[in-house]
Amino acid sequence: MWKPATEAQIDAATAAGDLRENVQLDVKRALTGGDGARTELARDLASFAIDGGALLIGVAEDKAAITFSLAPFPLAGVAEQIENIAANRVDPPLFVRIHDI
């Protein structure tokens, strides 16, 4: 499973067209508020519970062109929000590892 360590690695993968969502990788432009968004994130996290996976936040997807691009945003409070959703909206609660890039 691909685990990028730097923004440059993500940028290179998007520029080369090598970034693809699959059963072990999901991308999101940003975390949004609202109950529906939290429920969707819980589903995304739960889908990785058995075989593992990664949720890459800060990447925009152009569904029509099937391309991705960097969409950086402030990380303040994001890790706590993800941990809270994984612990309280997934049954059984899910342990997640978060890596800020």
Side-chain angles (χ1 to χ4, degrees), residues 20-26 47-48 51-54:
R20 295 279 183 262
E21 289 184 306
N22 56 49
V23 297
Q24 290 188 318
L25 178 66
D26 191 15
S47 73
F48 299 138
D51 293 325

Side-chain angles (χ1 to χ4, degrees), residues 41-50 82-96:
L41 179 59
R43 282 188 197 122
D44 291 339
L45 294 172
S47 73
F48 299 138
I50 295 181
I82 294 169
E83 289 170 343
N84 185 25
I85 290 169
N88 296 304
R89 289 192 173 240
V90 178
D91 187 25
L94 196 61
F95 170 77
V96 295

